[in-house]
Amino acid sequence: MAQDWKSFEPLLIPDIPNLEKIDVYEENGGYDALKKILNDRDTWSRKSVIEEVKQANIRGRGGAGFNAGLKWSFMPDPDGGPRYLACNGDESEPGTFKDRKIFEFNPHLFIEGSLIASYAMTVDTIYVYIRGEYLSWVDMLQEAVDEAYERGYLGENILGTDVSIDMELTYGAGAYICGEETAMLESLEGKRGYPRTKPPFPAQNGLWGRPTTINNIETLANVPLVINNGADWYGDIGAEEHPGPVLYGISGHVNQPGVYEYPTGIPVLDLINDVAGGIRGGKDLKAIIPGGSSTPPLRADQLDGVTMNSDSLKDVGSMMGTAGLVVMDEDTDMVDVLWRIAHFYHHESCGQCTPCRDGTGWLEKVLKKIKDGEGEMKDLDLLLDVGNQMEGRTICALADAAVWPVRHTINRFRDEFEERCKKSVHAVA
Amino acid sequence: MAELSFTQEELDEIERLKAKFPTAKAATLRVLWVAQQKYGHVEPEVQNLVAKTLDVPKSHVHGVASFYTQYYKEEKGKFVLDVCTCLSCQLCGGYEILHHLEEELGIEAGETTDDGMFTIQEVECLGACGYAPMLQVTNGVYVNNLTKEKVDTLLENLKNGNMPEFESMAMPELEKRNQAASK
Amino acid sequence: MPEVFIDGTRYEYDEEKDEMLLQFILDQGLEVPFFCYHPSMSIPANCRQCMVKVGTPVKDQETGEYELDEDGERKIRWFPKFQTSCSTRLQDGMVVLTQESSKEVARAQKDNLEFILVNHPLDCPICDQAGECPLQIQTYKYGPEGSRFEVKKVHKPKHVDLGPRVTLDAERCINCTRCVRFTEEISETHQLTIVQRGDDNYPTTAPGEEFDDPYSLNTVDICPVGALTSTDFRFKARVWEMNQTPSIDITNGKGCNIDLWTRDNEVLRITPRQNEEVNDYWMPDEGREAYEQFNENRVDRPSIKLDGDNQSNTSWNNAIETFAEVLEANDPSDITIIGSPHASVEENYAFNKFFNLLGVRNAKFTPHVIPGAGDGFLITDDQAPNTNGCRVINLDEADDTSIQSNVAAAKVVIILSDDLVGREVLSTSDLDNPYTISLATNHSKTTKASDLVIPITCVAEHAASYVNIDGRIQRSYPAKETKYTNRRLNLEMSEGRLDRFGTNFDNWVSEENKVDCLPVWDFLNKLGDRLGLDFKYDHSREVFAELSSSIDELQGISYERMDEENGVQLPIEQKEVKA
Ligand SMILES: Cc1cc2nc3c(=O)[nH]c(=O)nc-3n(C[C@H](O)[C@H](O)[C@H](O)COP(=O)(O)O)c2cc1C
Ligand code: SF4
Ligand code: SF4
Ligand code: FES
Ligand code: FES
């Protein structure tokens, strides 16, 4: 199937002018999925909605790729108290800029998806947490939410049923870590964005101690597609183990960077050369980062036959992440790039737990030393060691995300690093 | 500094924000934004006003204000230019843009021009990687696909009080098709 | 009973207690290094030091039986990552490997310490915490030999006065958040927060705010490094020079369990001693400041008013003679004796009994209460440590006016350890007429107005018991020598390094800090000798033994029981302590 991506018609952001307006959205079948469910609750019990979504295997688009329906099924039975859906629009992983497209071009699809999710999990309040820098997009989504309230898709007695769901938008103020789901909950509660230790998991003990599910914006936008067309139809799109349409954010040294919607499983090289117009200035490809800064980089020579889905990327030692593909040409200085990534994680560590707080700084400082021409050979192994000491020992995955690029960039571009150290002021012999 | 306070209008807005959440504390981030909107910063007195208004501990507001980078813990220039130098922007010349700005304005990142007009800050990824290099003006509008010339024009415009407009970055594929259709 | 296996040894645990693994390990007398965990506060699991390897046995889905391997051992499914034992709930059959049996775990703990130390200034030689520093101790036991960190450390604020009593060195802070959690969860003043982000993090107050929490010094105790130090105690002494003696806080009615830290018979600081039933791990700052009254302004040698208002020191012989003559010259019915909620059970009892033997009426006492002073936690309205003790031994509880009229009617007034003038029960002029004798630890307005002042031992110098506001009887130990006691001979006194090895010829030991005073019972022994009275107690223990055999509420209670049980709850009616 990977071959027929060229004939793919966008589903998440179809080519319909003014689709962000509720009239246009409705004219094009918008809110049909919600109506379908609410008008036929015998067929579409809460459980069967979850089952359908689980079958479809929408893998979380926030980075971890977890089956959305399965996640929903972790919510405990309702006890009459509040239950929440927290929608993650923090979008701060370097290389990632796709959720904003949904806010801008098809916000109602996301609203509809989160309504279906809320119905399925008996959620009464949806919080949408958007990064503070995205104020322009908060406004766009707010307009759509207001429209949805006016049309009776949100609020009391939705479409005349006994289902009532509210949606509140809010935003952060500059902190990548608030994209980590439990840090986001803390931030929603008005606090410093410190990730929580798990267990307890948010489904048991989330916002204000109540059952809460966290999903990425794009993940939720996939939900109406599944309800409208069925899990089987959805499962046929793209890669088998990781199906569906994806918003690929392509950046770096390509001629036409931007966000493109294609199925999963599209060959990486097609994405670069055909979709994004090839490398700028006719240069050669050196490396890519497939899914945001935390996913391990791959050398150009590793990319033959590799496709954008979790299995294929895993085979070559990387991950799908957020599908934010960063492309680097032959002139790219990998030492500089890696230092900059390490700088990012150092800057963004919440500082709560030891290995990350003190490890991210250590990584950055040693890389800076190498970059500035003061590195020693032993620093390379030190970096790997420090990484090993951090990975898997922290409260949240930011530390892992900081370690992976360091480990794999050094391993996959070791020559370049050694070269730099050899030329350094400390070089011996 | 005189005793700070919110106007009735602002207090109404704060009530509306509080109503979004089950606790007043949850509104901390939002009310800090309201305060920053009003005063241009959230220096200690402003933080204390927020604490008083929400009836939450001052230490809490202080801890929150200092955690999030978009709050100005001290007064900044009239225009704060947040230049992204993170991964994709670095690849596409973010540092050149930063250094160009530094030269043009005669200050370094983190500093404010003597006339109080501009502050330059180096920031992490702003979620506009496909439009790199880019910057954000005072927590507001994004200016994309920067070149030195574009930066110069931006500075000129800002000096004249003209804020750049929001620029919608279309999905390139759709744009291509639309262009084809309109031909 | 459910079971866990720690380093190959089987332990049973009580499911009801819902305990975390680390606490359970500590309860067994085993050890895993940790910093952020505190048994009385929430568990953030942020220091990551307490990592262990954890697995659970695999059960057959259908039969529910444990699956066995080829060797007939239970199959264990190991968690893919190390778990922080502080936040890991015990589970039946759980298998745990600590640093004792797993090289991997030992290495992980070492790695973590290396991280903690990269931004730590390593200034132990000038740090007050050295010697009692969990970071120093754990690094010594579990840390790396050296550091591979050769780049720049982060700089943060140093010697910041967070408030009147606590000093912060943010560079030493390891961000365990114990101090912040303390103000959120225990004292509930919310005065501290962590500020900044990442490795710039440190705890502080809101700008312009003081950390004047009435419990602020507890953060110094629980800070696992020298980031928070006591401003008062800063640089006064090294921990290993001091001698630690258990005692009871006498500044209010709660009777917080404390330790007195002495060097050369000077009390240098007071810290709380854990007692779940009374004060847990905490005490109010006020109680810590009391150390000064054990050293300073003490009544040292008896003194006597000869002419006018001038008191002058006199010999013990002369004091006893004068006291005896006053007693002989007056009819017992003209003598009023006033016991004290500020003095111990034994002192009050011996005092009252002595004068009863002479035919004097039962002692009165008046509670020392400031309504509204308490906070419902560890600070009480009651300003005295032993109000209930006076009640238990049946002294006559009197209000201020009745004390005043009694004093007015008396020719002789004998006051035990209570600054009745200072706390405005009496005025100086009330004491003009009667011949007033004070048995006192410290100079006060009352001793100043007295004709004869007998110096007696304070709580830091004797073993004696006190009944707190909740009816719990607890006791003190002598921590400080008097002119007449000797640490090496008195088996009850503990010896610090300097006490043991110092001599009169070095700088560490002097006579200066030994007060010339006697325990009440000892003084009364001597006075009894002179009067030919059958009154003799060699030790407060004897006084107490007599009490416990004569007073119902104290039956079966002894110093041994108080020691073993950390104090004993008396079966007494919860009586309101009235003003
Ligand atoms: C450090 C860190 C940052 C993250 N940032 C984001 C983010 O910006 N947006 C997002 O959707 N998920 C982010 N995630 C993933 C979330 O924790 C979470 O897995 C996701 O929102 C769940 O939604 P999904 O299952 O629909 O993908 C981040 C995770 C980590 C560890
Ligand atoms: S891993 Fe890093 S970001 Fe995550 S909780 Fe620990 S310090 Fe914070
Ligand atoms: S000051 Fe001490 S108690 Fe407070 S966070 Fe730092 S190390 Fe922990
Ligand atoms: S890297 Fe600059 S916007 Fe993402
Ligand atoms: S004691 Fe367990 S993580 Fe700190």
Side-chain angles (χ1 to χ4, degrees):
Chain A
M1 71 107 276
Q3 278 57 263
D4 47 314
W5 60 265
K6 284 183 181 147
S7 60
F8 175 80
E9 287 292 327
L11 297 160
L12 297 169
I13 306 187
D15 186 12
I16 300 166
N18 301 323
L19 188 56
E20 71 280 7
K21 301 261 178 282
I22 198 162
D23 287 331
V24 180
Y25 184 69
E26 282 179 330
E27 279 162 27
N28 288 280
Y31 289 108
D32 281 0
L34 182 69
K35 288 177 192 154
K36 182 168 168 181
I37 288 171
L38 292 185
N39 293 337
D40 183 9
R41 284 168 65 182
D42 290 340
T43 315
W44 293 103
S45 70
R46 298 176 192 271
K47 279 226 160 62
S48 55
V49 174
I50 293 183
E51 202 46 44
E52 190 74 20
V53 174
K54 193 156 99 187
Q55 281 303 318
N57 192 15
I58 306 176
R59 311 254 319 240
R61 305 292 199 245
F66 198 81
N67 180 318
L70 185 59
K71 189 189 279 188
W72 298 358
S73 71
F74 298 154
M75 286 285 269
D77 288 335
D79 60 2
R83 293 156 70 86
Y84 302 105
L85 171 65
C87 307
N88 194 340
D90 196 59
E91 185 145 274
S92 307
E93 169 102 343
T96 312
F97 55 109
K98 42 100 181 168
D99 292 337
R100 56 181 261 196
K101 299 294 169 189
I102 297 174
F103 298 143
E104 188 169 344
F105 298 115
N106 202 0
H108 288 288
L109 183 67
F110 154 69
I111 296 174
E112 187 177 2
S114 56
L115 279 164
I116 294 167
S118 300
Y119 163 77
M121 294 183 281
T122 327
V123 155
D124 44 87
T125 309
I126 305 168
Y127 283 102
V128 187
Y129 184 94
I130 301 173
R131 63 179 301 175
E133 294 87 347
Y134 274 3
L135 271 193
S136 308
W137 290 273
V138 173
D139 291 343
M140 294 177 205
L141 182 62
Q142 187 64 57
E143 266 181 49
V145 169
D146 292 346
E147 285 180 332
Y149 265 103
E150 274 166 34
R151 293 281 160 98
Y153 295 120
L154 273 167
E156 297 277 300
N157 304 108
I158 293 170
L159 300 173
T161 64
D162 62 352
V163 176
S164 301
I165 301 166
D166 280 308
M167 179 180 268
E168 295 287 357
L169 306 198
T170 194
Y171 45 92
Y176 162 66
I177 192 57
C178 291
E180 194 281 341
E181 54 187 21
T182 56
M184 184 178 87
L185 300 185
E186 289 287 298
S187 190
L188 273 167
E189 291 184 8
K191 304 183 205 154
R192 295 164 61 82
Y194 275 5
R196 299 177 180 173
T197 47
K198 289 139 267 195
F201 292 94
Q204 260 66 44
N205 191 334
L207 280 171
W208 299 285
R210 299 292 309 167
T212 303
T213 290
I214 296 109
N215 273 130
N216 170 261
I217 303 295
E218 185 186 344
T219 309
L220 290 163
N222 274 274
V223 172
L225 308 180
V226 170
I227 300 301
N228 278 328
N229 305 293
D232 293 344
W233 169 88
Y234 186 88
D236 283 345
I237 303 172
E240 197 176 341
E241 90 293 350
H242 197 150
V246 169
L247 295 175
Y248 293 102
I250 310 181
S251 65
H253 300 141
V254 289
N255 280 313
Q256 283 153 355
V259 176
Y260 297 85
E261 181 180 345
Y262 281 103
T264 56
I266 171 170
V268 174
L269 293 174
D270 286 5
L271 208 47
I272 297 169
N273 295 322
D274 299 341
V275 173
I279 309 291
R280 278 185 200 176
K283 291 187 189 166
D284 284 338
L285 175 65
K286 178 173 195 172
I288 63 149
I289 294 172
S293 58
S294 66
T295 57
L298 294 167
R299 282 192 316 266
D301 62 35
Q302 292 180 289
L303 295 178
D304 269 347
V306 175
T307 53
M308 287 297 283
N309 51 296
S310 47
D311 281 2
S312 176
L313 286 165
K314 196 168 157 211
D315 286 346
V316 285
S318 194
M319 290 178 274
M320 179 82 167
T322 59
L325 177 72
V326 183
V327 179
M328 291 167 268
D329 70 22
E330 54 186 315
D331 294 335
T332 309
D333 182 332
M334 295 311 286
V335 178
D336 278 11
V337 167
L338 181 58
W339 161 73
R340 191 60 187 77
I341 292 175
H343 174 76
F344 171 79
Y345 288 105
H346 178 205
H347 185 263
E348 300 300 330
S349 164
C350 83
Q352 186 183 196
C353 63
T354 305
C356 174
R357 177 182 61 243
D358 293 311
T360 50
W362 196 352
L363 292 177
E364 183 196 345
K365 287 171 190 174
V366 174
L367 281 162
K368 175 91 167 42
K369 185 179 147 196
I370 299 174
K371 166 179 126 74
D372 290 348
E374 295 167 14
E376 300 161 76
M377 283 303 198
K378 66 170 191 189
D379 288 336
L380 299 181
D381 291 325
L382 175 66
L383 285 167
L384 297 177
D385 235 26
V386 170
N388 291 339
Q389 292 181 201
M390 293 166 66
E391 190 185 8
R393 302 198 183 157
T394 52
I395 292 177
C396 86
L398 184 138
D400 300 351
V403 168
W404 297 329
V406 172
R407 177 183 301 151
H408 296 289
T409 310
I410 292 180
N411 285 340
R412 290 174 188 164
F413 300 88
R414 184 138 186 147
D415 293 355
E416 219 172 299
F417 283 82
E418 291 187 350
E419 195 66 20
R420 192 72 75 91
C421 292
K422 275 189 203 141
K423 283 200 210 123
S424 100
V425 292
H426 299 297
V428 266
Chain B
M1 199 186 270
E3 184 77 9
L4 305 182
S5 63
F6 285 121
T7 63
Q8 190 51 49
E9 206 177 323
E10 287 154 353
L11 288 173
D12 292 345
E13 166 71 359
I14 289 168
E15 280 312 308
R16 208 183 55 74
L17 293 172
K18 277 161 73 178
K20 282 174 169 282
F21 310 101
T23 65
K25 188 181 242 181
T28 305
L29 272 77
R30 295 300 296 273
V31 177
L32 276 166
W33 273 118
V34 172
Q36 178 151 308
Q37 191 70 30
K38 177 183 172 103
Y39 294 105
H41 58 78
V42 291
E43 286 185 353
E45 311 84 72
V46 181
Q47 294 175 21
N48 288 348
L49 172 67
V50 170
K52 200 175 85 186
T53 310
L54 285 174
D55 193 22
V56 295
K58 289 177 185 166
S59 64
H60 163 74
V61 175
H62 185 48
V64 169
S66 69
F67 186 84
Y68 295 93
T69 52
Q70 287 190 284
Y71 297 127
Y72 302 149
K73 271 70 74 175
E74 56 197 40
E75 229 175 303
K76 303 269 168 177
K78 184 166 172 209
F79 301 106
V80 181
L81 305 177
D82 285 340
V83 185
C84 177
T85 57
C86 201
L87 183 55
S88 307
C89 288
Q90 175 200 29
L91 292 173
C92 298
Y95 280 100
E96 282 83 71
I97 295 299
L98 179 70
H99 299 322
H100 179 67
L101 260 173
E102 288 176 331
E103 264 166 45
E104 287 298 305
L105 296 176
I107 52 171
E108 294 199 7
E111 294 176 348
T112 302
T113 51
D114 288 339
D115 60 3
M117 195 68 141
F118 295 105
T119 300
I120 309 176
Q121 301 190 137
E122 182 184 351
V123 299
E124 298 302 329
C125 176
L126 290 168
C129 322
Y131 322 116
M134 57 80 63
L135 63 75
Q136 178 172 28
V137 185
T138 323
N139 288 328
V141 71
Y142 281 18
V143 191
N144 304 298
N145 296 321
L146 292 173
T147 57
K148 287 181 186 171
E149 296 70 42
K150 207 167 166 184
V151 167
D152 294 342
T153 320
L154 172 70
L155 289 181
E156 233 13 78
N157 284 338
L158 288 175
K159 279 181 197 156
N160 297 327
N162 297 327
M163 274 295 253
E165 298 264 316
F166 171 80
E167 184 186 4
S168 175
M169 304 305 289
M171 308 271 290
E173 201 74 347
L174 306 186
E175 209 171 34
K176 262 190 267 172
R177 272 183 236 164
N178 289 343
Q179 277 168 1
S182 67
K183 261 183 205 154
Chain C
M1 269 244 196
E3 54 185 8
V4 288
F5 299 85
I6 300 169
D7 295 329
T9 308
R10 178 177 178 277
Y11 299 87
E12 292 188 344
Y13 69 92
D14 182 358
E15 229 159 350
E16 301 272 287
K17 279 169 98 184
D18 195 24
E19 247 180 330
M20 292 298 175
L21 177 55
L22 176 60
Q23 186 61 54
F24 183 78
I25 287 174
L26 299 174
D27 290 348
Q28 309 314 306
L30 307 173
E31 190 175 278
V32 162
F34 68 96
F35 297 109
C36 69
Y37 176 74
H38 191 286
S40 292
M41 300 195 287
S42 61
I43 304 175
N46 61 27
C47 77
R48 315 305 287 175
Q49 190 56 46
C50 65
M51 280 178 289
V52 294
K53 193 173 158 90
V54 178
T56 48
V58 185
K59 272 188 182 166
D60 188 296
Q61 294 267 353
E62 273 159 31
T63 62
E65 297 285 314
Y66 290 123
E67 284 182 28
L68 303 179
D69 62 15
E70 311 80 73
D71 302 331
E73 302 283 338
R74 283 181 198 168
K75 270 196 208 159
I76 302 299
R77 188 178 291 122
W78 297 98
F79 281 74
K81 300 175 184 177
F82 295 126
Q83 300 293 303
T84 46
S85 54
C86 65
S87 61
T88 303
R89 257 204 178 77
L90 291 174
Q91 227 176 297
D92 194 14
M94 189 179 257
V95 180
V96 181
L97 302 182
T98 75
Q99 71 284 353
E100 297 301 322
S101 66
S102 159
K103 283 216 175 70
E104 270 180 295
V105 171
R107 168 74 209 254
Q109 292 175 356
K110 194 184 292 245
D111 292 347
N112 202 65
L113 274 160
E114 187 177 25
F115 283 132
I116 290 185
L117 295 173
V118 299
N119 282 313
H120 190 84
L122 302 172
D123 54 353
C124 310
I126 54 154
C127 177
D128 266 336
Q129 187 85 345
E132 56 179 359
C133 176
L135 179 57
Q136 197 182 38
I137 297 165
Q138 323 253 40
T139 301
Y140 182 69
K141 287 172 103 165
Y142 306 107
E145 287 74 42
S147 174
R148 295 170 292 170
F149 187 84
E150 294 171 350
V151 280
K152 257 204 184 136
K153 287 183 194 268
V154 179
H155 289 294
K156 296 184 194 178
K158 291 178 88 75
H159 23 84
V160 181
D161 287 327
L162 277 189
R165 296 176 290 276
V166 178
T167 304
L168 166 75
D169 181 326
E171 290 186 352
R172 291 183 188 150
C173 169
I174 63 165
N175 266 290
C176 71
T177 69
R178 276 180 169 191
C179 54
V180 175
R181 280 177 285 143
F182 177 84
T183 69
E184 283 171 359
E185 299 166 20
I186 308 292
S187 70
E188 297 181 0
T189 60
H190 301 271
Q191 287 185 342
L192 296 181
T193 177
I194 301 283
V195 291
Q196 308 299 338
R197 196 165 79 190
D199 55 15
D200 286 329
N201 271 357
Y202 66 93
T204 189
T205 57
E209 297 293 301
E210 288 234 300
F211 183 38
D212 57 1
D213 187 315
Y215 295 91
S216 69
L217 284 165
N218 292 289
T219 60
V220 172
D221 300 335
I222 59 178
C223 178
V225 292
L228 298 178
T229 50
S230 156
T231 309
D232 177 70
F233 181 68
R234 226 163 124 81
F235 305 135
K236 263 202 199 153
R238 313 258 35 174
V239 195
W240 55 86
E241 300 167 353
M242 292 186 291
N243 180 6
Q244 179 183 15
T245 310
S247 194
I248 302 298
D249 177 12
I250 46 122
T251 60
N252 74 37
K254 193 70 191 180
C256 286
N257 290 205
I258 58 172
D259 280 314
L260 301 177
W261 295 78
T262 54
R263 184 181 65 189
D264 188 21
N265 293 310
E266 208 178 355
V267 184
L268 294 181
R269 69 168 180 181
I270 295 176
T271 56
R273 181 165 49 90
Q274 194 223 346
N275 186 339
E276 230 174 274
E277 301 294 328
V278 183
N279 53 310
D280 207 7
Y281 295 86
W282 325 117
M283 74 178 293
D285 290 359
E286 253 169 31
R288 306 194 192 229
E289 284 161 7
Y291 78 90
E292 285 178 341
Q293 75 189 57
F294 303 144
N295 305 326
E296 282 157 37
N297 193 35
R298 292 294 301 276
V299 182
D300 197 354
R301 290 193 73 182
S303 64
I304 190 163
K305 225 183 246 177
L306 289 175
D307 48 349
D309 271 350
N310 293 333
Q311 278 172 350
S312 53
N313 284 347
T314 183
S315 69
W316 282 100
N317 279 343
N318 194 32
I320 289 165
E321 191 54 37
T322 310
F323 204 144
E325 279 168 11
V326 170
L327 292 175
E328 282 164 348
N330 286 284
D331 191 274
S333 62
D334 288 332
I335 300 175
T336 283
I337 58 170
I338 305 175
S340 169
H342 290 282
S344 63
V345 171
E346 292 81 347
E347 289 169 294
N348 275 294
Y349 176 77
F351 174 79
N352 190 32
K353 177 168 173 190
F354 183 92
F355 294 104
N356 288 169
L357 287 175
L358 292 173
V360 177
R361 260 168 300 137
N362 206 31
K364 310 210 168 308
F365 81 99
T366 180
H368 186 183
V369 171
I370 301 177
D375 63 358
F377 183 37
L378 300 178
I379 299 174
T380 59
D381 287 357
D382 193 349
Q383 304 294 298
N386 194 33
T387 310
N388 274 327
C390 293
R391 290 179 181 140
V392 166
I393 61 168
N394 298 313
L395 300 196
D396 290 342
E397 184 162 353
D399 58 15
D400 294 5
T401 25
S402 118
I403 296 274
Q404 284 152 11
S405 55
N406 268 284
V407 167
K411 290 198 177 129
V412 178
V413 175
I414 306 172
I415 302 171
L416 173 65
S417 215
D418 199 343
D419 183 14
L420 293 169
V421 178
R423 64 175 171 109
E424 293 175 357
V425 174
L426 298 175
S427 66
T428 308
S429 58
D430 289 336
L431 298 176
D432 280 352
N433 275 334
Y435 190 87
T436 307
I437 303 175
S438 273
L439 288 74
T441 56
N442 292 72
H443 292 294
S444 68
K445 287 188 176 156
T446 308
T447 58
K448 194 153 183 277
S450 300
D451 299 282
L452 177 63
V453 184
I454 306 297
I456 57 170
T457 49
C458 70
V459 65
E461 288 151 335
H462 59 223
S465 50
Y466 301 79
V467 183
N468 82 353
I469 193 164
D470 303 312
R472 189 178 187 86
I473 190 163
Q474 326 182 87
R475 76 155 178 135
S476 66
Y477 294 75
K480 204 173 136 56
E481 288 167 307
T482 67
K483 279 268 184 302
Y484 309 105
T485 55
N486 185 317
R487 205 176 280 285
R488 297 185 193 180
L489 301 180
N490 183 340
L491 297 181
E492 234 185 1
M493 294 187 82
S494 55
E495 281 182 302
R497 262 161 54 122
L498 298 183
D499 296 323
R500 189 165 310 145
F501 302 115
T503 72
N504 287 355
F505 307 107
D506 63 31
N507 290 335
W508 299 113
V509 177
S510 65
E511 285 298 305
E512 257 167 62
N513 301 321
K514 298 181 183 173
V515 177
D516 190 353
C517 62
L518 287 171
V520 169
W521 47 90
D522 229 7
F523 171 74
L524 295 174
N525 285 341
K526 294 188 184 356
L527 186 59
D529 276 352
R530 159 65 181 73
L531 292 168
L533 212 58
D534 182 16
F535 183 94
K536 179 110 184 86
Y537 296 103
D538 280 335
H539 191 277
S540 55
R541 203 178 283 273
E542 279 178 34
V543 183
F544 195 81
E546 182 173 318
L547 269 165
S548 73
S549 62
S550 60
I551 294 192
D552 282 354
E553 284 100 328
L554 298 178
Q555 232 167 41
I557 296 175
S558 61
Y559 281 8
E560 287 67 33
R561 259 193 80 190
M562 290 185 223
D563 296 349
E564 270 160 28
E565 299 169 32
N566 248 331
V568 181
Q569 182 64 41
L570 301 183
I572 57 174
E573 287 276 305
Q574 210 67 19
K575 235 212 261 176
E576 186 90 355
V577 176
K578 281 185 308 230

